[in-house]
Amino acid sequence: MTDGWLAIAWAGVLVAGVAACVGLRRAGMPMTYVRDVLHVGAGLWPLGWSSWEGGAAPCAIAASGALALVAVPAAARWSSVARGVRDAVSGGDERFGGVALYAVSAAIFTAVAMSWKAAAPAAAGALLALALGDGIGGVVGRRFGRHPLRVPFGKPKSWEGAAAVTAFAALGAWIALRWYGAGPGPLVILGAGVIAGVAEALSPRATDNLVVPAAVFGWLQLVAS
């Protein structure tokens, strides 16, 4: 498939994914779970990098998606569509800025992967660690969290949720590295999970979607490149 057709397909996936999240929210799914669905679903993006012939199209798609999401809060003042997107994944303790930062991270690491091929496995590992770690870890923390983890400048967390972030971030890093032909040892994967868990726990409110992949990328690029 040429890059042109891939661009059309991925643009469709992006629009369909956001529309599905809006639909799930309107159908009654709690906002926090809709947000988790978006988190995990976005993890498919870095696994598709190897299908592109060039870097311009995927970088443009990722950048356009980031710009569109960054613009949502302002557009929500006059657009019912933008309000629907905003309200589907934000409210209460969950700020829309976190979703926007997720898209910014995806754009940054897409550009890194496309311009620096040797760093593509680490970039993919960073994003998939965020997708699975934060996405599934949030579900576990809300359902099974019994022991609070108190961080002065962060949102409420639990030790159970932090452990789940660590485990699923490690799984995400492992999947991405294996997908791109790397053969990481168990200490590399364990380190990625621990770094993701600590970064997520210590990140100031709404910044974990940028801090976590940056920390995991630094680790993977250092030890697994």
Side-chain angles (χ1 to χ4, degrees):
M1 185 179 292
T2 66
D3 281 4
W5 286 111
L6 272 176
I8 292 171
W10 274 108
V13 169
L14 174 62
V15 172
V18 173
C21 288
V22 173
L24 288 171
R25 183 70 184 104
R26 290 177 175 172
M29 178 179 283
M31 177 272 297
T32 51
Y33 292 105
V34 175
R35 195 176 176 108
D36 292 333
V37 169
L38 181 62
H39 244 288
V40 175
L44 291 174
W45 171 249
L47 298 182
W49 288 341
S50 57
S51 300
W52 297 93
E53 296 175 355
C59 288
I61 290 174
S64 297
L67 288 173
L69 286 175
V70 167
V72 161
R77 299 172 186 170
W78 52 268
S79 168
S80 60
V81 173
R83 281 195 298 275
V85 173
R86 180 198 63 190
D87 296 343
V89 293
S90 63
D93 283 338
E94 301 289 358
R95 300 176 181 177
F96 191 85
V99 175
L101 281 181
Y102 192 129
V104 169
S105 290
I108 290 171
F109 286 108
T110 299
V112 168
M114 294 300 155
S115 61
W116 184 13
K117 296 299 184 182
L127 288 180
L128 204 56
L130 173 65
L132 299 190
D134 203 14
I136 301 176
V139 175
V140 172
R142 283 190 297 275
R143 289 186 62 85
F144 303 107
R146 298 293 182 271
H147 301 87
L149 173 58
R150 305 188 186 282
V151 178
F153 37 76
K155 66 183 181 182
K157 299 179 176 71
S158 69
W159 284 102
E160 292 85 354
V165 169
T166 298
F168 284 100
L171 176 62
W174 179 81
I175 290 171
L177 291 176
R178 294 289 294 178
W179 184 268
Y180 283 98
L187 291 180
V188 171
I189 298 304
L190 177 61
V194 170
I195 286 171
V198 171
E200 197 276 337
L202 297 181
S203 296
R205 185 180 294 269
T207 65
D208 55 332
N209 288 340
L210 190 60
V211 174
V212 170
V216 173
F217 174 78
W219 166 256
L220 293 179
Q221 189 59 25
L222 177 67
V223 302
S225 59

